[in-house]
Amino acid sequence: VHGQGGVKFQNWAKTYGSSPELYFQPTSVEEIREILDLARQRDKRVKVVGGGHSPSDIACTDDFMIQMGKMNRVLKVDKEKQQVTVEGGIFLSDLNVELSKHGLALANLGAVSEVAAAGVIGTGTHNTGIKHGILPTQVVALTLLTASGEILECSESINADIFQAARLHLGCLGVVLTVTFQCVPQFHLHEVAFPSTLTEVLDHLDDHLKRSQYFRFLWFPHSENVSVIYQDPTNKPPSSSASWWWDYAVGYYLLEFLLWISTFVPSLVCWINRFFFWLLFSSRVENIAISYKIFNYECRFKQHVQDWAIPIEKTKEALLELKAALENNPKMVAHYPVEVRFARGDEIWLSPCFQRDSCYMNIIMYRPYGKNVPRLNYWLTYEGIMKKHGGRPHWAKAHSCTRKDFEKMYPAFPKFCSVREKLDPTGIFLNAYLEKVFY
């Protein structure tokens, strides 16, 4: 196998990057084994990456990097069981198209599909829907190539402990070669977005959760404004009210320009949030399309994000606390939206929803034209509120937690650590991000 030197790796938002000594794109298990042997000989670590979308340094390394993009086949479609087995490097964008040819779909998807199957489960990607778990809950089996070169089959019945660890693996247990997803029959979604207020949504949260299968809402900081989004299966024919003018000319180019100006006059942010709510979110909008086209939406321009999961019963308290913190500190500005989503509890050891139904609260600061906007104050305030309410950070996103925090947050953390130490005793799959997690 030949590794490339001089490759510069950057994540999608260009907020984190590294220069791996050698960059590999293997096409077979044998090649991956050779890379691991070479790494051992040279005393190097190995980092496996997929789409490189994570807004943190979880995928960065200065040693060896394995990009799995060439191991991206659909291996088997079992129509009877409605299951699909794929190689770990396949992008969900390709898998969605393949599944629809067989009349199948994934029951839930994140906002972005230019991400690899093994990476999506590695960081605990989620969407919304209180009857739906995070994406790894759709995994029924996987195969793992360990540091020693052994291939482990994992499922509820085979290597069950390793399975519960590997369904959210952080890239530190081995190389995920294949993933088997539980699918559902292909379906269309009817999306309805309409304006509301924060008070109304928080006071009637249970009603909203019952009313729509995939309910989420967007809160516009520095205001009471909220956009409520319902997504539900439908038999109606596809239709769209989207327009290039509003989505791009206004929602992208004008917004980026105004946010750039606000880096010189921060007090403009409050006005921008309100103006764009009025412009783009103050009327009812409906779209109908095949499920993955509704689940996926463009993240537009580069951004810093944080996303923590708190117990669902803490939603109102935590959000009102964040609102009060912004009101009491006029110099602290927050870009829109704060996206609020919901997920069912599960049994995956490092899942932010481990043994509890959860509310994810995603905050954002855009980087207009790549420029960084001061965010430290806002970030730390938000983290403080999330920790106070028993929050757990999204693994793909930047956070300031250490092993001590994770030991408190995750009852099964010691179990995960013992599996990791057994599968990778020399730490060949660690990097700087993971050292903060485990040491």
Side-chain angles (χ1 to χ4, degrees):
V1 290
H2 297 288
Q4 262 179 294
V7 172
K8 173 95 173 104
F9 167 77
Q10 276 196 311
N11 69 341
W12 172 79
K14 294 189 167 47
T15 45
Y16 293 90
S18 63
S19 302
E21 187 178 313
L22 288 175
Y23 179 86
F24 299 90
Q25 285 190 295
T27 57
S28 69
V29 177
E30 277 319 304
E31 285 183 26
I32 300 174
R33 282 200 178 108
E34 279 181 47
I35 297 163
L36 295 180
D37 286 343
L38 186 66
R40 260 191 297 277
Q41 287 163 27
R42 296 205 193 167
D43 198 22
K44 298 290 176 190
R45 287 174 165 181
V46 175
K47 193 75 209 125
V48 185
V49 298
H53 210 279
S54 295
S56 72
D57 56 344
I58 192 168
C60 295
T61 186
D62 291 329
D63 287 3
F64 289 4
M65 182 173 276
I66 297 178
Q67 204 281 333
M68 293 290 281
K70 290 185 175 171
M71 296 179 71
N72 63 350
R73 293 173 303 158
V74 174
L75 300 173
K76 184 185 175 191
V77 178
D78 185 331
K79 284 201 165 176
E80 233 173 90
K81 288 184 178 168
Q82 298 183 342
Q83 291 175 355
V84 62
T85 302
V86 296
E87 288 185 309
I90 193 170
F91 273 20
L92 292 192
S93 49
D94 297 326
L95 177 57
N96 291 333
V97 174
E98 279 302 309
L99 285 176
S100 70
K101 289 178 190 169
H102 295 277
L104 295 172
L106 289 171
N108 211 346
L109 285 166
V112 179
S113 278
E114 277 63 51
V115 287
V120 161
I121 68 169
T123 54
T125 300
H126 68 96
N127 184 16
T128 194
I130 198 55
K131 290 196 169 71
H132 297 273
I134 61 173
L135 265 61
T137 59
Q138 298 175 75
V139 174
V140 290
L142 52 88
T143 57
L144 194 63
L145 178 70
T146 66
S148 65
E150 185 189 359
I151 293 179
L152 295 178
E153 307 266 330
C154 306
S155 67
E156 295 276 6
S157 52
I158 309 163
N159 292 317
D161 268 12
I162 295 174
F163 181 62
Q164 288 305 12
R167 282 208 284 174
L168 204 162
H169 54 75
L170 302 184
C172 67
L173 303 178
V175 182
V176 175
L177 299 174
T178 71
V179 182
T180 302
F181 288 104
Q182 181 61 52
C183 304
V184 295
Q186 181 180 324
F187 62 106
H188 282 64
L189 280 174
H190 180 192
E191 177 180 76
V192 182
F194 57 92
S196 186
T197 64
L198 191 59
T199 309
E200 188 282 325
V201 172
L202 293 177
D203 285 351
H204 301 100
L205 197 56
D206 284 350
D207 295 344
H208 287 291
L209 286 163
K210 283 177 197 147
R211 213 170 287 160
S212 172
Q213 195 177 141
Y214 304 96
F215 154 68
R216 73 173 188 274
F217 67 92
L218 312 176
W219 170 55
F220 289 65
H222 310 294
S223 77
E224 260 283 309
N225 297 330
V226 161
S227 174
V228 173
I229 299 159
Y230 287 173
Q231 294 169 340
D232 291 286
T234 183
N235 296 320
K236 292 179 188 170
S239 66
S240 172
S241 54
S243 90
W244 182 90
W245 168 255
W246 289 110
D247 284 357
Y248 280 89
V250 175
Y252 185 100
Y253 297 110
L254 178 62
L255 177 61
E256 187 163 29
F257 175 66
L258 291 176
L259 287 176
W260 179 75
I261 288 177
S262 78
T263 61
F264 305 101
V265 191
S267 58
L268 282 178
V269 170
C270 309
W271 175 83
I272 291 169
N273 287 2
R274 288 170 185 167
F275 176 60
F276 272 85
F277 177 81
W278 171 76
L279 210 55
L280 300 178
F281 297 91
S282 58
S283 55
R284 186 184 171 94
V285 177
E286 297 191 39
N287 290 304
I288 298 173
I290 194 162
S291 58
Y292 66 84
K293 289 186 178 172
I294 296 285
F295 286 139
N296 289 166
Y297 52 88
E298 273 188 82
C299 288
R300 299 291 157 89
F301 40 93
K302 310 306 181 202
Q303 52 194 243
H304 288 286
V305 288
Q306 277 224 56
D307 191 16
W308 286 53
I310 54 175
I312 196 164
E313 60 276 10
K314 301 281 189 183
T315 306
K316 181 175 182 177
E317 207 180 326
L319 206 46
L320 290 178
E321 218 167 298
L322 185 63
K323 184 172 186 262
L326 288 168
E327 282 165 4
N328 297 334
N329 188 348
K331 283 194 173 155
M332 189 159 65
V333 295
H335 291 166
Y336 84 80
V338 170
E339 186 178 19
V340 184
R341 291 174 285 180
F342 304 89
R344 192 189 69 216
D346 59 54
E347 291 301 320
I348 299 168
W349 291 352
L350 289 192
S351 164
C353 303
F354 181 70
Q355 294 183 342
R356 67 186 196 198
D357 290 350
S358 300
C359 162
Y360 277 93
M361 216 170 278
N362 184 88
I363 65 167
I364 193 163
M365 286 301 269
Y366 292 112
R367 301 174 60 230
Y369 309 122
K371 184 176 179 181
N372 275 328
V373 178
R375 66 181 197 284
L376 192 64
N377 223 342
Y378 180 33
W379 248 227
L380 294 175
T381 302
Y382 164 84
E383 271 202 350
I385 294 168
M386 294 294 106
K387 276 186 180 170
K388 178 182 157 188
H389 293 292
R392 297 166 179 158
H394 190 319
W395 290 106
K397 305 191 176 170
H399 56 77
S400 63
C401 298
T402 61
R403 176 168 179 142
K404 271 187 185 159
D405 296 307
F406 296 125
E407 283 171 342
K408 279 187 212 141
M409 292 169 179
Y410 289 100
F413 192 74
K415 281 188 189 172
F416 186 94
C417 291
S418 69
V419 166
R420 187 195 74 76
E421 284 154 20
K422 193 170 78 186
L423 295 181
D424 184 19
T426 61
I428 196 170
F429 294 114
L430 293 179
N431 65 353
Y433 173 101
L434 291 169
E435 284 190 331
K436 282 182 279 192
V437 174
F438 296 113
Y439 294 105

